[in-house]
Amino acid sequence: METAITTIIEALREGACVDAAWLERLVRARNRETADASRTVAKRRLLPYYWRVKSDDAARFASWNVTPEIERRLVRLLQAKPRRTASGVATVTVLTKPWPCGGDCLFCPSDVRMPKSYLSDEPACQRAERCFFDPYLQVTSRLRVLADMGHPIDKVELIVLGGTWSDYPPAYRRWFASELFRALCEFGEHASGETAARRKRYEEAGLTSNPDELARRFARAQDAVNAGVLGYNDFVQVHYDAAVPGGAARETGRTGECSETGAPNRPGSRTDASPWSAVSAWQTAAAEEVDRWHRANETARCRCVGLVVETRPDLVTFDSLVELRALGCTKVQMGIQSLDDAVLAKNARRSTSSQIARAFALLRLFGFKIHVHAMANLVGAAPAADVADYRRLVTDAAFLPDEVKLYPCALVESSRLRRLFESGAWRPYGEEELVGVLAEDVLATPAYTRISRMIRDIPSPDIMAGNKKTNLRQLVEERVRATGRPVREIRLREIATDTPAGVDLRLDVVPYATSVSDERFLQWMLPGGRIAGFLRLSLPFPADALPCGAASPLPAGCAMIREVHVYGRAAQIGRTGDAAQHQGLGRALVERACAMASEAGYGSVAVISAVGTRAYYRGLGFCDDGLYQTRRLGKPGR
């Protein structure tokens, strides 16, 4: 391994053309020379080996004589999966523990090992289960993998999945958030001892992270849920100690946990011996603990530049959004699935289109980025109706999301949709129908909206009916290109890992109106329409012009910067390079937005800053001001 690394370093020092093909030839040559299989060279092993020597063997590392420029080129050469940080940040996805869900949608999976709607063999879910759903363990584990792959990890977006955030107890929500930030702050020398101690604590409580053992323990309960004999909520409520204040599990009067034999216990019973009972007792935190780790993260090595949680439209209230801001949240994922009330009712959704509209209004007034889940092929839907429904989502002023996940409905065994499929009351679209619907959705998407995903990470064996092709997005994009029609959606236009030429950039402004504000989407564009960065500016309407039920947390005359994002390969804080980041593009966007707000008559502008970006905005003249950071604006022309 060392010979391969030093050969690469020497070639870089001599200015040789060192690219992926050159590296592949080197690896093959080294392996032909090595008889011992345990010493086989692989690209994925080279960078972790380099970091290990740099960290643990100072004398050896000094002998390599690696300059900062050589290290930069070495890391870029050996970096695995560069798209992971192509959007400018390192994304870390974590899951909350299984918990009873306030909904019971027909299409939703009911894996008793997971939070509602998630499956135990999805990649992020497997990582979470191996970490006992502990936020600290999940974050540190993922950061280590990303660092070993060569990705900068100083700017981290935390995505919290796991059913509905607001369904969990407030003390657990505070604990989970504080531990996320603690993990970011302590990553490195302090994390190894803490992770070992935590794992020991979970194991001493009687929990296991062994997937085979977990599959054995949960098999009978899962069979009962799949057969409709046992409810997901009933099992999870008992097994995971889903307690109400005071520590007592909720009495339901319905069938409780399955025993080891698979037989349900008596109605309303609980298992006091559940290991989660002891664990739940210390998964609590006060607001002061959250604030402590927020302050520490402002200057930490790994800073949080975004915190995302999931919720339902009917749970979006003024008070719930105040709490989310206090926890450091900047983006909300919201499952809406459809805007058709009849379709929502047929799929046992508890939200209505009016509740969805109210949630959009509140989220926008609070400055949150709004990331929605839309689902084609629901019970009662049809291809043409799905296209019309999505068009309403992206054109009606009551909605207009910032990001969308387009999830075609797929049947998994543990969902209640199975009965309708077996009776012929629901059928999945054929590939031609589905690709056609999604292609029309892409073409209808405006310039200020990003389609982040088109499929869930559901393993093919788990899908009983519906799309199983992992390259569905590729098929859709091919169909879109074949139409010859222009595409405005962000993801297809972002520069990814490319390096923009600053002289070719121009600033474009897309205005649009919502039910509560005038919006301005400022974007740095390259020739051909590609996008290098953007800013979302919201100019809220006066209080007397807001729809019923909508209220703003901002004082009158205050505009809101809801998002600033610069694309390109992630660059470390405080460093410049040839990527788009740290070239002043973000600062220029903020200054232009402030000028536009001033010209529109607003006296101040707030920014929904992440905890790890507070210092950046202070440098741009913003002051800490409760839930936000604000900046006074001069009169136009000053």
Side-chain angles (χ1 to χ4, degrees), residues 132-320:
F132 307 98
F133 300 99
D134 183 289
Y136 189 99
L137 294 177
Q138 292 181 72
V139 170
T140 52
S141 172
R142 192 63 182 152
L143 287 178
R144 173 51 57 202
V145 171
L146 289 171
D148 285 347
M149 291 167 65
H151 294 278
I153 55 170
D154 54 344
K155 297 191 295 293
V156 178
E157 181 182 42
L158 296 167
I159 300 178
V160 182
L161 304 179
T164 304
W165 175 261
S166 301
D167 278 342
Y168 290 84
Y172 177 82
R173 298 195 296 257
R174 291 191 295 268
W175 173 79
F176 201 93
S178 67
E179 293 303 302
L180 291 174
F181 285 96
R182 181 183 177 187
L184 292 178
C185 294
E186 292 188 347
F187 182 72
E189 58 180 318
H190 299 294
S192 57
E194 176 65 20
T195 55
R198 283 179 182 241
R199 287 190 172 278
K200 182 178 180 181
R201 189 175 188 184
Y202 284 111
E203 290 165 356
E204 288 177 344
L207 298 179
T208 179
S209 59
N210 182 289
D212 294 332
E213 174 61 18
L214 287 165
R216 187 195 68 78
R217 290 187 183 184
F218 284 91
R220 292 184 181 276
Q222 190 62 61
D223 288 344
V225 169
N226 292 352
V229 175
L230 177 65
Y232 169 89
N233 279 2
D234 298 316
F235 175 83
V236 171
Q237 179 173 291
V238 174
H239 184 80
Y240 293 99
D241 191 46
V244 295
R250 285 176 281 193
E251 297 289 330
T252 64
R254 293 175 294 176
T255 303
E257 181 183 12
C258 278
S259 68
E260 281 289 331
T261 63
N265 293 321
R266 65 179 178 81
S269 68
R270 61 170 291 175
T271 304
D272 291 318
S274 171
W276 284 100
S277 298
V279 170
S280 296
W282 50 266
Q283 290 184 333
T284 65
E288 292 76 15
E289 189 72 3
V290 180
D291 293 339
R292 172 194 171 195
W293 290 112
H294 278 185
R295 290 191 298 273
N297 190 247
E298 291 182 17
T299 56
R301 172 192 174 191
C302 303
R303 301 181 196 176
C304 176
V305 298
L307 173 60
V308 189
V309 303
E310 289 187 308
T311 193
R312 299 194 311 272
D314 54 300
L315 294 177
V316 174
T317 65
F318 190 95
D319 290 343
S320 71

Side-chain angles (χ1 to χ4, degrees), residues 301-608:
R301 172 192 174 191
C302 303
R303 301 181 196 176
C304 176
V305 298
L307 173 60
V308 189
V309 303
E310 289 187 308
T311 193
R312 299 194 311 272
D314 54 300
L315 294 177
V316 174
T317 65
F318 190 95
D319 290 343
S320 71
L321 298 187
V322 169
E323 180 194 319
L324 286 180
R325 276 305 298 143
L327 295 178
C329 183
T330 55
K331 181 192 296 185
V332 171
Q333 290 196 40
M334 183 169 60
I336 63 169
Q337 319 313 346
S338 174
L339 297 176
D340 186 319
D341 285 335
V343 170
L344 291 172
K346 288 179 180 179
N347 289 271
R349 291 288 295 174
R350 296 190 176 180
S351 302
T352 63
S353 58
S354 62
Q355 288 177 319
I356 295 170
R358 190 181 311 116
F360 264 90
L362 280 170
L363 287 166
R364 196 178 303 277
L365 288 170
F366 268 79
F368 288 104
K369 277 75 73 177
I370 306 171
H371 191 169
V372 302
H373 303 177
M375 188 171 287
N377 199 186
L378 290 168
V379 176
D386 278 338
V387 171
D389 190 66
Y390 183 83
R391 186 169 288 111
R392 180 188 177 195
L393 175 67
V394 296
T395 59
D396 189 324
F399 308 109
L400 309 184
D402 302 310
E403 291 188 64
V404 179
K405 288 182 179 178
L406 288 173
Y407 284 157
C409 187
L411 174 63
V412 296
E413 184 179 15
S414 60
S415 73
R416 295 196 294 134
L417 182 62
R418 177 181 175 183
R419 282 75 173 170
L420 295 181
F421 173 69
E422 291 172 343
S423 70
W426 175 85
R427 72 165 183 89
Y429 293 164
E431 182 178 306
E432 186 69 17
E433 289 177 300
L434 180 58
V435 170
V437 168
L438 297 180
E440 288 300 317
D441 290 350
V442 171
L443 291 166
T445 303
Y448 49 82
T449 300
R450 184 177 192 267
I451 300 176
S452 57
R453 306 196 73 171
M454 283 191 189
I455 57 170
R456 277 273 304 270
D457 281 336
I458 299 177
S460 180
D462 289 331
I463 299 175
M464 298 179 66
N467 173 69
K468 294 187 177 184
K469 290 195 172 180
T470 57
N471 68 332
L472 177 63
R473 185 165 199 145
Q474 179 183 351
L475 299 176
V476 172
E477 291 175 358
E478 289 173 356
R479 177 71 62 86
V480 167
R481 283 191 291 270
T483 68
R485 293 155 61 186
V487 177
R488 296 171 295 168
E489 182 265 324
I490 292 175
R491 192 177 185 276
L492 277 172
R493 297 189 297 123
E494 64 191 39
I495 62 172
T497 57
D498 293 349
T499 301
V503 295
D504 291 331
L505 293 175
R506 66 179 178 86
L507 185 60
D508 177 65
V509 180
V510 180
Y512 61 102
T514 76
S515 63
V516 296
S517 62
D518 283 323
E519 302 283 316
R520 302 289 184 269
F521 182 73
L522 289 68
Q523 54 180 342
W524 284 116
M525 294 179 63
L526 281 73
R530 301 189 73 196
I531 183 172
F534 64 82
L535 179 147
R536 301 183 191 276
L537 173 66
S538 185
L539 305 173
F541 296 155
D544 59 3
L546 297 178
C548 180
S552 173
L554 300 177
C558 185
M560 173 74 80
I561 294 175
R562 298 193 300 115
E563 183 175 15
V564 181
H565 196 116
V566 177
Y567 285 110
R569 185 181 292 108
Q572 292 184 331
I573 293 173
R575 296 188 182 183
T576 59
D578 57 3
Q581 293 196 337
H582 304 321
Q583 301 296 317
L585 299 183
R587 176 185 291 269
L589 286 169
V590 170
E591 294 303 324
R592 183 68 185 108
C594 288
M596 293 177 72
S598 180
E599 291 163 4
Y602 289 79
S604 61
V605 61
V607 60
I608 183 168

Side-chain angles (χ1 to χ4, degrees), residues 75-94:
V75 170
R76 180 174 296 184
L77 175 69
L78 299 180
Q79 186 183 72
K81 300 182 179 179
R83 283 286 308 187
R84 287 285 166 83
T85 49
S87 292
V89 299
T91 298
V92 174
T93 300
V94 300

Side-chain angles (χ1 to χ4, degrees), residues 32-74:
R32 281 196 298 269
E33 299 168 4
T34 305
D36 185 355
S38 65
R39 300 178 64 187
T40 299
V41 176
K43 177 184 174 180
R44 62 183 174 83
R45 297 179 183 173
L46 289 171
L47 199 54
Y49 174 79
Y50 175 84
W51 294 131
R52 190 161 58 251
V53 171
K54 183 177 181 179
S55 172
D56 301 337
D57 193 341
R60 178 179 297 185
F61 184 74
S63 71
W64 292 353
N65 191 26
V66 180
T67 66
E69 174 59 20
I70 288 177
E71 179 173 276
R72 184 185 66 82
R73 294 172 61 196
L74 175 73

